[in-house]
Amino acid sequence: GENVEQHPSTLSVQEGDSAVIKCTYSDSASNYFPWYKQELGKRPQLIIDIRSNVGEKKDQRIAVTLNKTAKHFSLHITETQPEDSAVYFCAASLGAEGGGNKLTFGTGTQLKVEL
Amino acid sequence: NAGVTQTPKFRVLKTGQSMTLLCAQDMNHEYMYWYRQDPGMGLRLIHYSVGEGTTAKGEVPDGYNVSRLKKQNFLLGLESAAPSQTSVYFCASRVWGEQYFGPGTRLTVT
């Protein structure tokens, strides 16, 4: 089955700096890659996703890049703010377009934005 | 529109006791999932369902059973709880792409 590795496990940045979280996946057939943010004591919530026919997607201060050849994808957060502090999870799955296909999650990155 | 809800929010069990966690969604989603979340291990899939009356095993199904008798409900059962099942349990539902998570159930087995 799919295996997703995520690095780093913890990341500390100064407010206003950029943060980058990287994930690799094992199954070359995976075609959907979402990122979830989980604040302390809360549920995970989708912040951005990318499909395999796209190399990059951006939404305000958040961007995701995908390299299918190398089987890795990354989350980029620019101009970080204290409210960006949370745990971020990457995930991969087959068949985003409907289908019951399951997400395989990375182990998470604890991002801390320091003032 | 409540989205995905879970009952109960907290529970303490003794080893060997049984319980059922209820997940309900009002978005008419076909697909539903049960995950457990443990420190440093991310979200691991226990069981999932692709529609009413269907269930399938995920990554860590041992010690759990599920049922999906109604489209809007997905039940997770622990027949004989063990301390290793102490965790936070999240339910999720999905139609296209995005999974919507419930608020979680914190279960402690002593």
Side-chain angles (χ1 to χ4, degrees):
Chain A
E2 176 67 278
N3 182 51
V4 177
E5 295 190 356
Q6 182 172 348
H7 299 281
S9 57
T10 60
L11 179 59
S12 183
V13 300
Q14 294 293 316
E15 182 180 8
D17 287 350
S18 295
V20 180
I21 303 170
K22 299 180 179 181
C23 289
T24 60
Y25 61 99
S26 61
D27 192 336
S28 57
S30 289
N31 58 10
Y32 176 64
F33 308 92
W35 285 88
Y36 283 80
K37 176 183 180 182
Q38 187 179 27
E39 296 177 352
L40 188 63
K42 301 288 183 63
R43 72 190 78 187
Q45 292 192 298
L46 181 73
I47 55 171
I48 195 167
D49 57 12
I50 191 168
R51 289 169 171 76
S52 59
N53 57 347
V54 176
E56 183 174 358
K57 183 177 179 180
K58 189 173 182 179
D59 182 3
Q60 299 184 336
R61 296 187 297 108
I62 295 173
V64 58
T65 58
L66 172 65
N67 183 326
K68 287 184 62 180
T69 303
K71 291 189 286 187
H72 68 71
F73 57 111
S74 300
L75 177 71
H76 304 253
I77 305 174
T78 58
E79 300 173 14
T80 54
Q81 302 168 3
E83 51 265 38
D84 294 329
S85 295
V87 178
Y88 292 81
F89 292 98
C90 63
S93 87
L94 300 167
E97 308 307 325
N101 292 296
K102 44 199 187 294
L103 290 174
T104 300
F105 284 86
T107 51
T109 296
Q110 174 74 62
L111 174 64
K112 183 177 181 181
V113 180
E114 298 178 334
L115 298 173
Chain B
N1 189 334
V4 181
T5 59
Q6 292 181 230
T7 308
K9 290 184 171 55
F10 304 93
R11 185 74 186 267
V12 178
L13 286 180
K14 293 185 178 180
T15 297
Q17 288 185 321
S18 63
M19 77 163 294
T20 300
L21 283 69
L22 171 63
C23 177
Q25 52 97 1
D26 61 3
M27 297 175 283
N28 203 34
H29 288 172
E30 290 291 339
Y31 315 119
M32 297 187 74
Y33 308 83
W34 275 107
Y35 295 90
R36 60 177 290 173
Q37 184 174 35
D38 303 291
M41 302 190 75
L43 291 149
R44 293 183 293 168
L45 183 65
I46 304 171
H47 286 282
Y48 64 105
S49 169
V50 300
E52 182 178 318
T54 75
T55 63
K57 293 181 179 180
E59 181 186 354
V60 288
D62 293 344
Y64 305 95
N65 56 75
V66 288
S67 64
R68 182 99 181 268
L69 299 179
K70 293 183 179 181
K71 186 177 183 178
Q72 63 268 33
N73 295 337
F74 194 28
L75 279 64
L76 178 71
L78 286 74
E79 291 186 348
S80 180
S84 60
Q85 294 178 304
T86 293
S87 188
V88 178
Y89 292 85
F90 284 100
C91 173
S93 69
R94 172 184 184 188
V95 56
W96 297 103
E98 179 175 359
Q99 284 193 11
Y100 295 84
F101 285 85
T105 295
R106 183 173 294 277
L107 175 65
T108 301
V109 183
T110 61

